[in-house]
Amino acid sequence: ARLLAGPSKALAGSVRTGFPVGTQLVSVRRDSGGTYRVTLSPQALQADALARQGLSAQLVWTLREADPQFRRLVVSVGDQPFKVPGKDDVQNANDWMEYEPERLAPGPAYYLAGGKVRVTGNGAAPVATRALTVDAVAVTPDRSKIAVVESAATGQLPQLRIGETSANALPVVARVAGLTSLSWGSGEQGLWLLNGRGQVLLVRKGKAVQTVQVAPLIGRVTALSLSRDGIRAALVAGGRLYVGRVQSSTQGTALEGLIQVTPELTGITEVAWRDGTSLLVLGLLSQTFVPVLVTVDGATVRPEPVSGLPGRPQEVATSSLGTFVTVLGRLYQRGPLGFRAGPSGRGPTYPG
């Protein structure tokens, strides 16, 4: 019912639905084999070919997340199959993988050691970064593009370089002081980051660096992270967590609908998206500075175990692939029995 109702107020203008206005759920049945039979009202027939694909993908992904036993989907209007271009009448739970919300390609996390880009595990860093001294790094979810902030030479501004991860060199696209919080989100909108004044910037190929409007005024932004579906942004200002939506129009791109999440969390220094609806922040909860899992609606606020950490965590990187924090110049990876020590380094990040 929530799916058929369309985007919530918090996401209106940032997402679209494949369900024509007025489409109602007539019935939904699930058999013991995990097959769902969904019958929709006649309004669904107004959907064109593209909308039917979107409608179907929304149903498949909703059921995937709602029921681990979901295996197949049959959609009908009345007693007639609802035809979806390119699909059989019986769809599988692993269809529509191109709509996967996180779109995160498997692989390692990235970090910095001695000013060089490194990867966790035994992988090799991108060739184009090996001759550079780097202050920050970010990679798109599909791992096709990389952005680095090259350390400034004496009397010079730091250089932002962006290019293909497979390239031999990364061209300079901007020279700006104090660049931090590099985040690609989905990678489709460009690279998001903060400047030294706490302003949100957006860098797109072939365009001037854009200052992104942030409304309402929440003060100086100290940390920024975009969700990997490109829909939401998480910001830290005044030690508080805010979540809003990405709004694009002919006038530009803005972050709108910002709301403060979990007022009980204070002193927040870092934020990272774990998946499309949850974040990991470093902040004070009940007067203790710990990693805290937070859902975007604030319904879940759960401190993470800190066993294995020798001190206060300073940085965080997280995704469906794992979680890293840094303590005293060393990476620590979350495991089933707590955190275990990894290589020396800082600035861990997963693609996104």
Side-chain angles (χ1 to χ4, degrees):
R2 288 183 62 187
L3 176 63
L4 268 64
S8 65
K9 184 178 180 181
L11 292 179
S14 297
V15 298
R16 64 181 184 272
T17 179
F19 291 87
V21 175
T23 302
Q24 300 292 316
L25 178 65
V26 175
S27 66
V28 57
R29 291 173 294 147
R30 176 190 182 279
D31 65 23
S32 59
T35 297
Y36 276 81
R37 299 182 183 278
V38 176
T39 303
L40 302 175
S41 63
Q43 288 90 336
L45 298 175
Q46 300 171 14
D48 60 18
L50 184 62
R52 290 185 181 219
Q53 292 176 331
L55 180 157
S56 180
Q58 286 176 270
L59 282 172
V60 166
W61 276 99
T62 297
L63 292 169
R64 277 172 62 104
E65 295 180 357
D67 183 0
Q69 302 304 314
F70 165 55
R71 296 293 180 268
R72 289 165 292 277
L73 171 67
V74 178
V75 184
S76 61
V77 173
D79 58 357
Q80 297 298 313
F82 182 76
K83 297 296 184 181
V84 179
K87 297 294 179 182
D88 296 330
D89 291 344
V90 180
Q91 299 177 55
N92 295 314
N94 58 1
D95 284 343
W96 306 110
M97 291 304 294
E98 64 269 33
Y99 286 89
E100 200 277 323
E102 196 171 50
R103 299 182 183 179
L104 180 57
Y110 298 76
Y111 68 101
L112 303 176
K116 300 300 181 183
V117 177
R118 311 289 188 188
V119 297
T120 55
N122 297 319
V127 172
T129 68
R130 296 177 188 174
L132 304 175
T133 302
V134 176
D135 287 332
V137 59
V139 179
T140 54
D142 63 2
R143 301 179 186 266
S144 65
K145 294 184 178 63
I146 186 170
V148 300
V149 176
E150 184 181 10
S151 303
T154 303
Q156 303 292 320
L157 289 173
Q159 299 185 132
L160 176 65
R161 294 176 176 267
I162 298 177
E164 303 292 325
T165 51
S166 59
N168 292 319
L170 300 176
V172 176
V173 298
R175 292 177 172 85
V176 184
L179 297 179
T180 60
S181 291
L182 277 62
S183 182
W184 282 100
S186 66
E188 297 173 357
Q189 297 155 324
L191 176 73
W192 300 74
L193 66 169
L194 299 177
N195 65 14
R197 297 190 298 276
Q199 295 174 309
V200 179
L201 307 180
L202 180 58
V203 181
R204 290 173 165 163
K205 184 177 181 180
K207 296 186 178 180
V209 177
Q210 174 190 346
T211 300
V212 177
Q213 179 183 351
V214 178
L217 183 65
I218 60 174
R220 184 174 179 271
V221 180
T222 56
L224 165 74
S225 184
L226 272 289
S227 61
R228 294 181 183 91
D229 58 13
I231 301 301
R232 293 183 172 98
L235 303 92
V236 177
R240 304 282 186 170
L241 175 65
Y242 297 84
V243 174
R245 68 178 186 274
V246 177
Q247 179 75 52
S248 297
S249 67
T250 55
Q251 285 73 43
T253 303
L255 299 182
E256 298 188 350
L258 287 167
I259 59 171
Q260 184 181 336
V261 181
T262 61
E264 65 268 38
L265 267 173
T266 60
I268 298 171
T269 59
E270 296 284 334
V271 59
W273 288 88
R274 175 167 290 182
D275 53 41
T277 58
S278 65
L279 308 109
L280 196 61
V281 304
L282 300 182
L284 286 167
L285 182 64
S286 301
Q287 303 303 309
T288 303
F289 192 90
V290 291
V292 182
L293 179 69
V294 180
T295 52
V296 292
D297 59 1
T300 298
V301 182
R302 187 183 72 219
E304 297 284 273
V306 293
S307 59
L309 296 181
R312 171 170 162 158
Q314 297 156 326
E315 300 167 307
V316 62
T318 189
S319 74
S320 59
L321 302 175
T323 296
F324 284 91
V325 300
T326 58
V327 180
L328 302 174
R330 183 175 293 276
L331 272 65
Y332 288 80
Q333 184 175 16
R334 173 77 183 276
L337 300 178
F339 285 92
R340 65 178 186 273
S344 297
R346 66 174 185 86
T349 181
Y350 276 103

mmCIF file of all heavy atoms in Angstrom, residues 302-349:
data_model
loop_
_atom_site.group_PDB
_atom_site.id
_atom_site.type_symbol
_atom_site.label_atom_id
_atom_site.label_comp_id
_atom_site.label_asym_id
_atom_site.label_seq_id
_atom_site.Cartn_x
_atom_site.Cartn_y
_atom_site.Cartn_z
ATOM 1 N N ARG A 302 21.230 2.681 17.296
ATOM 2 C CA ARG A 302 21.839 1.542 17.978
ATOM 3 C C ARG A 302 23.354 1.688 18.029
ATOM 4 O O ARG A 302 24.014 1.746 16.995
ATOM 5 C CB ARG A 302 21.479 0.249 17.243
ATOM 6 C CG ARG A 302 21.916 -1.016 17.959
ATOM 7 C CD ARG A 302 21.586 -2.246 17.141
ATOM 8 N NE ARG A 302 22.439 -2.375 15.968
ATOM 9 C CZ ARG A 302 22.017 -2.794 14.773
ATOM 10 N NH1 ARG A 302 20.744 -3.077 14.589
ATOM 11 N NH2 ARG A 302 22.862 -2.903 13.766
ATOM 12 N N PRO A 303 23.918 1.763 19.236
ATOM 13 C CA PRO A 303 25.377 1.808 19.326
ATOM 14 C C PRO A 303 26.000 0.509 18.850
ATOM 15 O O PRO A 303 25.477 -0.576 19.110
ATOM 16 C CB PRO A 303 25.629 2.038 20.826
ATOM 17 C CG PRO A 303 24.404 1.521 21.501
ATOM 18 C CD PRO A 303 23.270 1.770 20.552
ATOM 19 N N GLU A 304 27.100 0.611 18.129
ATOM 20 C CA GLU A 304 27.802 -0.569 17.639
ATOM 21 C C GLU A 304 28.826 -1.028 18.667
ATOM 22 O O GLU A 304 29.436 -0.211 19.367
ATOM 23 C CB GLU A 304 28.508 -0.250 16.317
ATOM 24 C CG GLU A 304 27.564 0.131 15.187
ATOM 25 C CD GLU A 304 26.855 -1.082 14.610
ATOM 26 O OE1 GLU A 304 27.405 -1.731 13.709
ATOM 27 O OE2 GLU A 304 25.746 -1.388 15.086
ATOM 28 N N PRO A 305 29.059 -2.330 18.779
ATOM 29 C CA PRO A 305 30.087 -2.823 19.699
ATOM 30 C C PRO A 305 31.457 -2.260 19.342
ATOM 31 O O PRO A 305 31.784 -2.097 18.167
ATOM 32 C CB PRO A 305 30.038 -4.341 19.490
ATOM 33 C CG PRO A 305 28.690 -4.618 18.904
ATOM 34 C CD PRO A 305 28.349 -3.420 18.084
ATOM 35 N N VAL A 306 32.242 -1.952 20.359
ATOM 36 C CA VAL A 306 33.567 -1.363 20.130
ATOM 37 C C VAL A 306 34.681 -2.266 20.636
ATOM 38 O O VAL A 306 35.821 -1.830 20.760
ATOM 39 C CB VAL A 306 33.675 0.026 20.795
ATOM 40 C CG1 VAL A 306 32.748 1.010 20.118
ATOM 41 C CG2 VAL A 306 33.378 -0.066 22.288
ATOM 42 N N SER A 307 34.367 -3.533 20.913
ATOM 43 C CA SER A 307 35.410 -4.453 21.374
ATOM 44 C C SER A 307 36.504 -4.562 20.324
ATOM 45 O O SER A 307 36.241 -4.656 19.120
ATOM 46 C CB SER A 307 34.817 -5.832 21.658
ATOM 47 O OG SER A 307 34.205 -6.362 20.498
ATOM 48 N N GLY A 308 37.745 -4.515 20.785
ATOM 49 C CA GLY A 308 38.888 -4.581 19.886
ATOM 50 C C GLY A 308 39.476 -3.237 19.535
ATOM 51 O O GLY A 308 40.571 -3.170 18.974
ATOM 52 N N LEU A 309 38.771 -2.146 19.844
ATOM 53 C CA LEU A 309 39.294 -0.812 19.545
ATOM 54 C C LEU A 309 40.118 -0.301 20.726
ATOM 55 O O LEU A 309 39.643 -0.318 21.870
ATOM 56 C CB LEU A 309 38.159 0.165 19.249
ATOM 57 C CG LEU A 309 37.308 -0.123 18.004
ATOM 58 C CD1 LEU A 309 36.232 0.953 17.838
ATOM 59 C CD2 LEU A 309 38.171 -0.204 16.756
ATOM 60 N N PRO A 310 41.330 0.209 20.471
ATOM 61 C CA PRO A 310 42.190 0.663 21.566
ATOM 62 C C PRO A 310 41.910 2.087 22.022
ATOM 63 O O PRO A 310 42.559 2.587 22.944
ATOM 64 C CB PRO A 310 43.591 0.561 20.959
ATOM 65 C CG PRO A 310 43.368 0.831 19.504
ATOM 66 C CD PRO A 310 42.032 0.214 19.180
ATOM 67 N N GLY A 311 40.957 2.752 21.376
ATOM 68 C CA GLY A 311 40.660 4.132 21.731
ATOM 69 C C GLY A 311 39.463 4.635 20.960
ATOM 70 O O GLY A 311 38.704 3.874 20.356
ATOM 71 N N ARG A 312 39.285 5.940 20.977
ATOM 72 C CA ARG A 312 38.137 6.582 20.339
ATOM 73 C C ARG A 312 38.258 6.537 18.822
ATOM 74 O O ARG A 312 39.285 6.942 18.267
ATOM 75 C CB ARG A 312 38.058 8.031 20.824
ATOM 76 C CG ARG A 312 37.063 8.900 20.114
ATOM 77 C CD ARG A 312 36.929 10.211 20.846
ATOM 78 N NE ARG A 312 36.316 11.248 20.009
ATOM 79 C CZ ARG A 312 35.711 12.322 20.485
ATOM 80 N NH1 ARG A 312 35.652 12.520 21.797
ATOM 81 N NH2 ARG A 312 35.184 13.216 19.678
ATOM 82 N N PRO A 313 37.239 6.049 18.114
ATOM 83 C CA PRO A 313 37.292 6.019 16.647
ATOM 84 C C PRO A 313 37.267 7.427 16.071
ATOM 85 O O PRO A 313 36.573 8.307 16.586
ATOM 86 C CB PRO A 313 36.043 5.226 16.256
ATOM 87 C CG PRO A 313 35.118 5.369 17.414
ATOM 88 C CD PRO A 313 35.980 5.483 18.626
ATOM 89 N N GLN A 314 38.016 7.627 14.999
ATOM 90 C CA GLN A 314 38.163 8.964 14.416
ATOM 91 C C GLN A 314 37.543 9.089 13.027
ATOM 92 O O GLN A 314 37.112 10.170 12.641
ATOM 93 C CB GLN A 314 39.661 9.325 14.365
ATOM 94 C CG GLN A 314 40.279 9.411 15.752
ATOM 95 C CD GLN A 314 41.778 9.176 15.736
ATOM 96 O OE1 GLN A 314 42.301 8.386 14.944
ATOM 97 N NE2 GLN A 314 42.487 9.851 16.617
ATOM 98 N N GLU A 315 37.525 8.018 12.271
ATOM 99 C CA GLU A 315 36.954 8.028 10.923
ATOM 100 C C GLU A 315 36.168 6.739 10.725
ATOM 101 O O GLU A 315 36.410 5.752 11.416
ATOM 102 C CB GLU A 315 38.051 8.139 9.858
ATOM 103 C CG GLU A 315 38.896 9.401 9.964
ATOM 104 C CD GLU A 315 40.151 9.314 9.107
ATOM 105 O OE1 GLU A 315 40.887 8.315 9.270
ATOM 106 O OE2 GLU A 315 40.384 10.218 8.304
ATOM 107 N N VAL A 316 35.245 6.760 9.741
ATOM 108 C CA VAL A 316 34.427 5.572 9.510
ATOM 109 C C VAL A 316 34.150 5.408 8.026
ATOM 110 O O VAL A 316 33.991 6.388 7.287
ATOM 111 C CB VAL A 316 33.092 5.659 10.296
ATOM 112 C CG1 VAL A 316 32.264 6.850 9.827
ATOM 113 C CG2 VAL A 316 32.285 4.369 10.165
ATOM 114 N N ALA A 317 34.128 4.159 7.583
ATOM 115 C CA ALA A 317 33.698 3.796 6.230
ATOM 116 C C ALA A 317 32.838 2.554 6.362
ATOM 117 O O ALA A 317 33.208 1.609 7.077
ATOM 118 C CB ALA A 317 34.894 3.519 5.332
ATOM 119 N N THR A 318 31.690 2.532 5.687
ATOM 120 C CA THR A 318 30.804 1.378 5.825
ATOM 121 C C THR A 318 29.996 1.166 4.565
ATOM 122 O O THR A 318 29.778 2.094 3.775
ATOM 123 C CB THR A 318 29.872 1.554 7.048
ATOM 124 O OG1 THR A 318 29.163 0.336 7.288
ATOM 125 C CG2 THR A 318 28.882 2.686 6.817
ATOM 126 N N SER A 319 29.560 -0.056 4.366
ATOM 127 C CA SER A 319 28.704 -0.434 3.243
ATOM 128 C C SER A 319 28.228 -1.852 3.517
ATOM 129 O O SER A 319 28.524 -2.436 4.567
ATOM 130 C CB SER A 319 29.473 -0.383 1.919
ATOM 131 O OG SER A 319 30.355 -1.483 1.812
ATOM 132 N N SER A 320 27.520 -2.426 2.551
ATOM 133 C CA SER A 320 27.114 -3.822 2.684
ATOM 134 C C SER A 320 28.316 -4.756 2.666
ATOM 135 O O SER A 320 28.197 -5.937 3.029
ATOM 136 C CB SER A 320 26.157 -4.187 1.547
ATOM 137 O OG SER A 320 26.796 -3.990 0.289
ATOM 138 N N LEU A 321 29.475 -4.252 2.241
ATOM 139 C CA LEU A 321 30.681 -5.070 2.155
ATOM 140 C C LEU A 321 31.467 -5.110 3.458
ATOM 141 O O LEU A 321 32.362 -5.939 3.618
ATOM 142 C CB LEU A 321 31.590 -4.549 1.038
ATOM 143 C CG LEU A 321 30.969 -4.502 -0.364
ATOM 144 C CD1 LEU A 321 31.925 -3.858 -1.352
ATOM 145 C CD2 LEU A 321 30.582 -5.897 -0.820
ATOM 146 N N GLY A 322 31.181 -4.200 4.402
ATOM 147 C CA GLY A 322 31.919 -4.202 5.658
ATOM 148 C C GLY A 322 31.993 -2.835 6.293
ATOM 149 O O GLY A 322 31.414 -1.856 5.790
ATOM 150 N N THR A 323 32.730 -2.760 7.397
ATOM 151 C CA THR A 323 32.890 -1.510 8.138
ATOM 152 C C THR A 323 34.335 -1.368 8.606
ATOM 153 O O THR A 323 34.920 -2.334 9.121
ATOM 154 C CB THR A 323 31.962 -1.473 9.370
ATOM 155 O OG1 THR A 323 30.603 -1.476 8.935
ATOM 156 C CG2 THR A 323 32.201 -0.220 10.215
ATOM 157 N N PHE A 324 34.892 -0.172 8.413
ATOM 158 C CA PHE A 324 36.205 0.167 8.919
ATOM 159 C C PHE A 324 36.106 1.436 9.766
ATOM 160 O O PHE A 324 35.312 2.340 9.455
ATOM 161 C CB PHE A 324 37.196 0.443 7.780
ATOM 162 C CG PHE A 324 37.703 -0.776 7.073
ATOM 163 C CD1 PHE A 324 37.047 -1.266 5.964
ATOM 164 C CD2 PHE A 324 38.844 -1.428 7.516
ATOM 165 C CE1 PHE A 324 37.504 -2.393 5.302
ATOM 166 C CE2 PHE A 324 39.314 -2.555 6.859
ATOM 167 C CZ PHE A 324 38.643 -3.037 5.750
ATOM 168 N N VAL A 325 36.915 1.518 10.806
ATOM 169 C CA VAL A 325 37.134 2.775 11.516
ATOM 170 C C VAL A 325 38.639 2.952 11.663
ATOM 171 O O VAL A 325 39.414 1.995 11.486
ATOM 172 C CB VAL A 325 36.461 2.802 12.905
ATOM 173 C CG1 VAL A 325 34.959 2.623 12.787
ATOM 174 C CG2 VAL A 325 37.067 1.756 13.832
ATOM 175 N N THR A 326 39.052 4.172 11.968
ATOM 176 C CA THR A 326 40.456 4.414 12.268
ATOM 177 C C THR A 326 40.598 4.827 13.720
ATOM 178 O O THR A 326 39.765 5.565 14.258
ATOM 179 C CB THR A 326 41.067 5.499 11.370
ATOM 180 O OG1 THR A 326 40.327 6.722 11.520
ATOM 181 C CG2 THR A 326 41.035 5.082 9.914
ATOM 182 N N VAL A 327 41.661 4.340 14.344
ATOM 183 C CA VAL A 327 42.024 4.706 15.710
ATOM 184 C C VAL A 327 43.541 4.838 15.763
ATOM 185 O O VAL A 327 44.260 3.892 15.402
ATOM 186 C CB VAL A 327 41.559 3.656 16.736
ATOM 187 C CG1 VAL A 327 41.947 4.084 18.147
ATOM 188 C CG2 VAL A 327 40.062 3.428 16.652
ATOM 189 N N LEU A 328 44.015 6.023 16.172
ATOM 190 C CA LEU A 328 45.451 6.240 16.362
ATOM 191 C C LEU A 328 46.268 5.843 15.141
ATOM 192 O O LEU A 328 47.306 5.167 15.242
ATOM 193 C CB LEU A 328 45.933 5.471 17.597
ATOM 194 C CG LEU A 328 45.223 5.830 18.918
ATOM 195 C CD1 LEU A 328 45.674 4.897 20.036
ATOM 196 C CD2 LEU A 328 45.463 7.283 19.279
ATOM 197 N N GLY A 329 45.782 6.253 13.951
ATOM 198 C CA GLY A 329 46.548 6.039 12.730
ATOM 199 C C GLY A 329 46.544 4.622 12.206
ATOM 200 O O GLY A 329 47.413 4.252 11.405
ATOM 201 N N ARG A 330 45.558 3.807 12.606
ATOM 202 C CA ARG A 330 45.465 2.439 12.118
ATOM 203 C C ARG A 330 44.023 2.112 11.768
ATOM 204 O O ARG A 330 43.096 2.610 12.409
ATOM 205 C CB ARG A 330 45.987 1.444 13.156
ATOM 206 C CG ARG A 330 45.981 -0.018 12.680
ATOM 207 C CD ARG A 330 46.630 -0.931 13.698
ATOM 208 N NE ARG A 330 48.055 -0.654 13.820
ATOM 209 C CZ ARG A 330 49.002 -1.146 13.019
ATOM 210 N NH1 ARG A 330 48.655 -1.958 12.014
ATOM 211 N NH2 ARG A 330 50.260 -0.847 13.200
ATOM 212 N N LEU A 331 43.830 1.299 10.723
ATOM 213 C CA LEU A 331 42.499 0.839 10.355
ATOM 214 C C LEU A 331 42.097 -0.367 11.191
ATOM 215 O O LEU A 331 42.927 -1.247 11.465
ATOM 216 C CB LEU A 331 42.455 0.464 8.876
ATOM 217 C CG LEU A 331 42.125 1.572 7.858
ATOM 218 C CD1 LEU A 331 43.202 2.637 7.845
ATOM 219 C CD2 LEU A 331 41.930 0.978 6.475
ATOM 220 N N TYR A 332 40.818 -0.400 11.559
ATOM 221 C CA TYR A 332 40.246 -1.540 12.259
ATOM 222 C C TYR A 332 38.992 -1.961 11.523
ATOM 223 O O TYR A 332 38.124 -1.143 11.233
ATOM 224 C CB TYR A 332 39.916 -1.186 13.711
ATOM 225 C CG TYR A 332 41.145 -1.027 14.573
ATOM 226 C CD1 TYR A 332 41.890 0.149 14.547
ATOM 227 C CD2 TYR A 332 41.576 -2.062 15.402
ATOM 228 C CE1 TYR A 332 43.035 0.291 15.320
ATOM 229 C CE2 TYR A 332 42.713 -1.924 16.188
ATOM 230 C CZ TYR A 332 43.438 -0.742 16.139
ATOM 231 O OH TYR A 332 44.575 -0.608 16.902
ATOM 232 N N GLN A 333 38.907 -3.272 11.215
ATOM 233 C CA GLN A 333 37.778 -3.794 10.461
ATOM 234 C C GLN A 333 36.829 -4.545 11.382
ATOM 235 O O GLN A 333 37.249 -5.332 12.233
ATOM 236 C CB GLN A 333 38.249 -4.728 9.351
ATOM 237 C CG GLN A 333 37.118 -5.225 8.452
ATOM 238 C CD GLN A 333 37.623 -6.049 7.289
ATOM 239 O OE1 GLN A 333 38.761 -6.508 7.287
ATOM 240 N NE2 GLN A 333 36.786 -6.230 6.289
ATOM 241 N N ARG A 334 35.537 -4.274 11.197
ATOM 242 C CA ARG A 334 34.525 -4.938 12.017
ATOM 243 C C ARG A 334 34.389 -6.396 11.585
ATOM 244 O O ARG A 334 34.249 -6.704 10.407
ATOM 245 C CB ARG A 334 33.195 -4.210 11.853
ATOM 246 C CG ARG A 334 31.999 -4.878 12.519
ATOM 247 C CD ARG A 334 31.978 -4.651 14.007
ATOM 248 N NE ARG A 334 30.867 -5.356 14.620
ATOM 249 C CZ ARG A 334 29.633 -4.886 14.700
ATOM 250 N NH1 ARG A 334 29.351 -3.687 14.202
ATOM 251 N NH2 ARG A 334 28.675 -5.574 15.289
ATOM 252 N N GLY A 335 34.421 -7.295 12.550
ATOM 253 C CA GLY A 335 34.226 -8.705 12.298
ATOM 254 C C GLY A 335 33.159 -9.263 13.213
ATOM 255 O O GLY A 335 32.591 -8.545 14.041
ATOM 256 N N PRO A 336 32.858 -10.550 13.128
ATOM 257 C CA PRO A 336 31.803 -11.139 13.962
ATOM 258 C C PRO A 336 32.104 -11.089 15.449
ATOM 259 O O PRO A 336 31.190 -11.116 16.278
ATOM 260 C CB PRO A 336 31.716 -12.584 13.452
ATOM 261 C CG PRO A 336 32.987 -12.829 12.728
ATOM 262 C CD PRO A 336 33.418 -11.520 12.186
ATOM 263 N N LEU A 337 33.391 -10.990 15.820
ATOM 264 C CA LEU A 337 33.768 -10.957 17.230
ATOM 265 C C LEU A 337 34.280 -9.589 17.658
ATOM 266 O O LEU A 337 34.940 -9.460 18.695
ATOM 267 C CB LEU A 337 34.835 -12.025 17.504
ATOM 268 C CG LEU A 337 34.427 -13.475 17.198
ATOM 269 C CD1 LEU A 337 35.579 -14.422 17.465
ATOM 270 C CD2 LEU A 337 33.199 -13.859 18.017
ATOM 271 N N GLY A 338 33.986 -8.565 16.881
ATOM 272 C CA GLY A 338 34.461 -7.222 17.201
ATOM 273 C C GLY A 338 35.431 -6.718 16.148
ATOM 274 O O GLY A 338 35.558 -7.301 15.066
ATOM 275 N N PHE A 339 36.115 -5.641 16.458
ATOM 276 C CA PHE A 339 37.061 -5.047 15.513
ATOM 277 C C PHE A 339 38.423 -5.723 15.623
ATOM 278 O O PHE A 339 38.882 -6.070 16.719
ATOM 279 C CB PHE A 339 37.215 -3.549 15.785
ATOM 280 C CG PHE A 339 36.042 -2.726 15.309
ATOM 281 C CD1 PHE A 339 34.990 -2.451 16.166
ATOM 282 C CD2 PHE A 339 35.996 -2.245 14.018
ATOM 283 C CE1 PHE A 339 33.906 -1.693 15.736
ATOM 284 C CE2 PHE A 339 34.913 -1.486 13.578
ATOM 285 C CZ PHE A 339 33.867 -1.217 14.445
ATOM 286 N N ARG A 340 39.068 -5.875 14.472
ATOM 287 C CA ARG A 340 40.436 -6.404 14.454
ATOM 288 C C ARG A 340 41.341 -5.420 13.731
ATOM 289 O O ARG A 340 40.924 -4.745 12.780
ATOM 290 C CB ARG A 340 40.492 -7.774 13.792
ATOM 291 C CG ARG A 340 40.134 -7.804 12.324
ATOM 292 C CD ARG A 340 40.276 -9.216 11.757
ATOM 293 N NE ARG A 340 40.073 -9.261 10.324
ATOM 294 C CZ ARG A 340 38.899 -9.405 9.730
ATOM 295 N NH1 ARG A 340 37.798 -9.494 10.466
ATOM 296 N NH2 ARG A 340 38.817 -9.451 8.412
ATOM 297 N N ALA A 341 42.571 -5.343 14.176
ATOM 298 C CA ALA A 341 43.520 -4.376 13.638
ATOM 299 C C ALA A 341 43.892 -4.695 12.201
ATOM 300 O O ALA A 341 44.067 -5.861 11.831
ATOM 301 C CB ALA A 341 44.762 -4.330 14.511
ATOM 302 N N GLY A 342 44.018 -3.638 11.409
ATOM 303 C CA GLY A 342 44.441 -3.749 10.031
ATOM 304 C C GLY A 342 45.695 -2.935 9.795
ATOM 305 O O GLY A 342 46.475 -2.683 10.720
ATOM 306 N N PRO A 343 45.900 -2.459 8.582
ATOM 307 C CA PRO A 343 47.119 -1.713 8.259
ATOM 308 C C PRO A 343 47.107 -0.309 8.844
ATOM 309 O O PRO A 343 46.066 0.234 9.199
ATOM 310 C CB PRO A 343 47.097 -1.675 6.731
ATOM 311 C CG PRO A 343 45.638 -1.746 6.386
ATOM 312 C CD PRO A 343 45.032 -2.651 7.407
ATOM 313 N N SER A 344 48.273 0.289 8.942
ATOM 314 C CA SER A 344 48.370 1.698 9.308
ATOM 315 C C SER A 344 47.800 2.537 8.181
ATOM 316 O O SER A 344 47.998 2.228 6.994
ATOM 317 C CB SER A 344 49.830 2.084 9.560
ATOM 318 O OG SER A 344 50.363 1.364 10.648
ATOM 319 N N GLY A 345 47.074 3.585 8.514
ATOM 320 C CA GLY A 345 46.505 4.432 7.487
ATOM 321 C C GLY A 345 45.376 5.286 8.033
ATOM 322 O O GLY A 345 45.073 5.265 9.228
ATOM 323 N N ARG A 346 44.766 6.036 7.146
ATOM 324 C CA ARG A 346 43.653 6.928 7.502
ATOM 325 C C ARG A 346 42.738 7.069 6.303
ATOM 326 O O ARG A 346 43.003 6.557 5.220
ATOM 327 C CB ARG A 346 44.188 8.305 7.916
ATOM 328 C CG ARG A 346 44.861 9.071 6.780
ATOM 329 C CD ARG A 346 45.245 10.471 7.185
ATOM 330 N NE ARG A 346 45.783 11.249 6.070
ATOM 331 C CZ ARG A 346 45.027 11.930 5.207
ATOM 332 N NH1 ARG A 346 43.699 11.911 5.332
ATOM 333 N NH2 ARG A 346 45.571 12.606 4.224
ATOM 334 N N GLY A 347 41.624 7.798 6.517
ATOM 335 C CA GLY A 347 40.708 8.121 5.422
ATOM 336 C C GLY A 347 40.097 6.931 4.730
ATOM 337 O O GLY A 347 39.974 6.935 3.496
ATOM 338 N N PRO A 348 39.644 5.884 5.459
ATOM 339 C CA PRO A 348 39.035 4.742 4.762
ATOM 340 C C PRO A 348 37.747 5.151 4.073
ATOM 341 O O PRO A 348 37.009 6.025 4.554
ATOM 342 C CB PRO A 348 38.762 3.751 5.901
ATOM 343 C CG PRO A 348 38.574 4.603 7.110
ATOM 344 C CD PRO A 348 39.544 5.751 6.931
ATOM 345 N N THR A 349 37.465 4.535 2.942
ATOM 346 C CA THR A 349 36.229 4.833 2.222
ATOM 347 C C THR A 349 35.846 3.650 1.342
ATOM 348 O O THR A 349 36.725 3.006 0.740
ATOM 349 C CB THR A 349 36.372 6.100 1.356
ATOM 350 O OG1 THR A 349 35.146 6.367 0.686
ATOM 351 C CG2 THR A 349 37.473 5.958 0.322
#
